[in-house]
Amino acid sequence: EARSEKIGDEGRRLASIAIRAAALNFHGTPYEAITAGEQAVALANRLNNTTWLAFAEYGLGQSYFLAGRYRDAELWLGRASARLASAPEDVPPGTTGSNLLLLCYMMKAIVYAWLGEFDEAERCSGQASDLAETNDRPYDMIAADYGRGLVQMMRGNLEEAESALDRAFRLSRESEVQLFLPLVMCALGNLYSQQGHAARARDILLQAKGEAEALGHVTSTVVVSAYLGAAYSQLGDIQRGLTLVRACQAGAKQKGYGSIEALAVYCEAAILSSQGTPVAAEAIGCIKRAIEIAARLEARPLLGAARGILARLLAASGRTAEAQDELAQAIALFDKSKMTVQLERAKAALSKFSDL
């Protein structure tokens, strides 16, 4: 990049910046990746270089997602996918239009899942799966299954999520596709915790941590602590769990991972809420922080789940009317997002108040 700037080769400088921005999504921080990504998009537009523009837009969308800026991510991933769908042959050397388009669909599916817009998430996930089947390449199949697994897990369909993530994990191992491996293992660890298999979650998350550190995969290294904290707390090691999720919060906030910070605050609140009356006030303060962050990010599924925890804490403290109000808000969020599993649970919890 420095050499191309020195000799005035703007085309080569664009390629260098775009590749650096893409690498920073895995090996840097969102702050760094966004700065490089915006620079790459601006330069591609100035040079009218459509060959690198969609690649740069995809990378920028991914950076915004990591920062928790989901609407910005939606915008840039939408631009990239439209460009790739209309001109799939106009892509940088070493890439294919169909692969980049699949990655756009995968990322859009995950973005929409975080926003709670599951009709769109399912549509994009389906488009990614269709392309993966057509392309018939291990990398593409892993990407599509990973995206589908995350969407189904966030919607509460844990069996479907496990099926997709298991396939992605197996293919990653068999094909030695290292890039996705820590991400898939982190997702499986989260899934196992939700299923109540804490020891299994801990084991695969420790493997994920080792893989991420070996690859220099910063994103996975940061997020794995939140999931590990949840697993250790389920195993009864509350102090270790809290230490991990609090360290994750601090690291995520410092590096600009908005999504991971929100997740870590939520995990801390969930751990504290399981400890009963002695820490109830601390737990309530923590979950209110999670609600504030989730609302700012427009992360409806996380917001609904956080309001559900707050309702339980308020009910346990005898604040029944406030608990009912929080549950009603959680129900509205789950209903709007068509999250049937979570919606039925919240309705069942609310009905218990009516029986009192």
Side-chain angles (χ1 to χ4, degrees):
E1 185 182 333
R3 185 177 298 170
S4 59
E5 184 173 16
K6 187 175 182 179
I7 64 174
D9 188 340
E10 291 289 80
R12 188 165 294 176
R13 187 166 79 92
L14 168 60
S16 302
I17 296 170
I19 292 293
R20 178 165 61 87
L24 286 168
N25 279 325
F26 293 95
H27 304 289
T29 69
Y31 292 138
E32 295 169 316
I34 288 171
T35 299
E38 288 177 343
Q39 189 181 1
V41 168
L43 183 56
N45 276 313
R46 181 166 66 79
L47 299 176
N48 196 26
N49 187 318
T50 54
T51 300
W52 281 98
L53 183 54
F55 180 91
E57 288 172 336
Y58 163 72
L60 184 56
Q62 193 176 30
S63 305
Y64 281 133
F65 165 75
L66 293 171
R69 293 170 59 176
Y70 303 126
R71 292 301 178 191
D72 288 327
E74 176 191 14
L75 171 68
W76 289 106
L77 291 167
R79 289 184 180 180
S81 56
R83 208 177 298 282
L84 290 163
S86 64
E89 73 291 341
D90 194 11
V91 293
T95 66
T96 67
S98 60
N99 170 256
L100 285 176
L101 183 58
L102 185 151
L103 292 174
C104 281
Y105 288 149
M106 176 204 74
M107 284 304 308
K108 285 172 70 176
I110 297 169
V111 167
Y112 283 126
W114 270 87
L115 288 166
E117 297 177 6
F118 281 101
D119 284 347
E120 283 298 303
E122 296 271 13
R123 183 180 65 82
C124 293
S125 177
Q127 289 174 312
S129 295
D130 289 345
L131 266 179
E133 192 173 335
T134 302
N135 296 347
D136 195 27
R137 288 192 293 263
Y139 184 94
D140 292 358
M141 294 163 72
I142 292 163
D145 277 335
Y146 171 67
R148 183 169 179 271
L150 287 191
V151 169
Q152 295 304 323
M153 178 162 51
M154 292 184 75
R155 201 166 197 174
N157 301 327
L158 300 189
E159 285 186 14
E160 289 182 47
E162 185 170 11
S163 175
L165 290 170
D166 274 343
R167 273 198 309 273
F169 183 49
R170 177 176 51 78
L171 271 173
S172 294
R173 286 284 199 210
E174 290 174 358
S175 308
E176 298 185 352
V177 178
Q178 301 297 322
L179 186 65
F180 271 100
L181 198 53
L183 294 168
V184 173
M185 293 167 83
C186 283
L188 279 169
N190 180 20
L191 178 73
Y192 297 153
S193 286
Q194 290 187 46
Q195 292 173 326
H197 306 313
R200 194 179 180 194
R202 175 203 58 202
D203 292 346
I204 198 166
L205 288 167
L206 287 172
Q207 291 178 53
K209 186 172 183 289
E211 290 279 354
E213 289 173 350
L215 290 170
H217 198 313
V218 177
T219 304
S220 296
T221 304
V222 174
V223 76
V224 73
S225 296
Y227 296 136
L228 263 175
Y232 277 120
S233 69
Q234 286 181 359
L235 290 166
D237 196 342
I238 303 300
Q239 198 51 54
R240 180 183 287 191
L242 287 172
T243 298
L244 282 166
V245 297
R246 285 166 178 165
C248 179
Q249 281 175 53
K253 188 170 186 177
Q254 181 186 35
K255 294 179 173 71
Y257 290 101
S259 309
I260 299 175
E261 182 190 359
L263 178 68
V265 175
Y266 173 83
C267 287
E268 181 187 0
I271 295 169
L272 290 171
S273 71
S274 68
Q275 299 309 296
T277 307
V279 293
E282 186 182 1
I284 288 172
C286 189
I287 201 64
K288 283 183 175 178
R289 250 187 13 260
I291 287 170
E292 178 193 348
I293 297 171
R296 173 164 45 83
L297 300 182
E298 299 182 55
R300 272 205 310 253
L302 186 62
L303 182 57
R307 289 200 179 281
I309 288 181
L310 180 55
R312 291 200 300 273
L313 288 166
L314 292 169
S317 301
R319 296 158 64 177
T320 306
E322 291 174 76
Q324 286 176 303
D325 180 59
E326 290 296 335
L327 267 178
Q329 291 187 64
I331 285 169
L333 288 162
F334 293 143
D335 188 38
K336 189 173 183 180
S337 293
K338 302 181 182 179
M339 297 170 68
T340 309
V341 175
Q342 294 90 337
L343 178 62
E344 292 307 315
R345 284 183 194 149
K347 283 182 175 178
L350 187 60
S351 70
K352 291 178 183 176
F353 288 110
S354 303
D355 297 336
L356 296 177

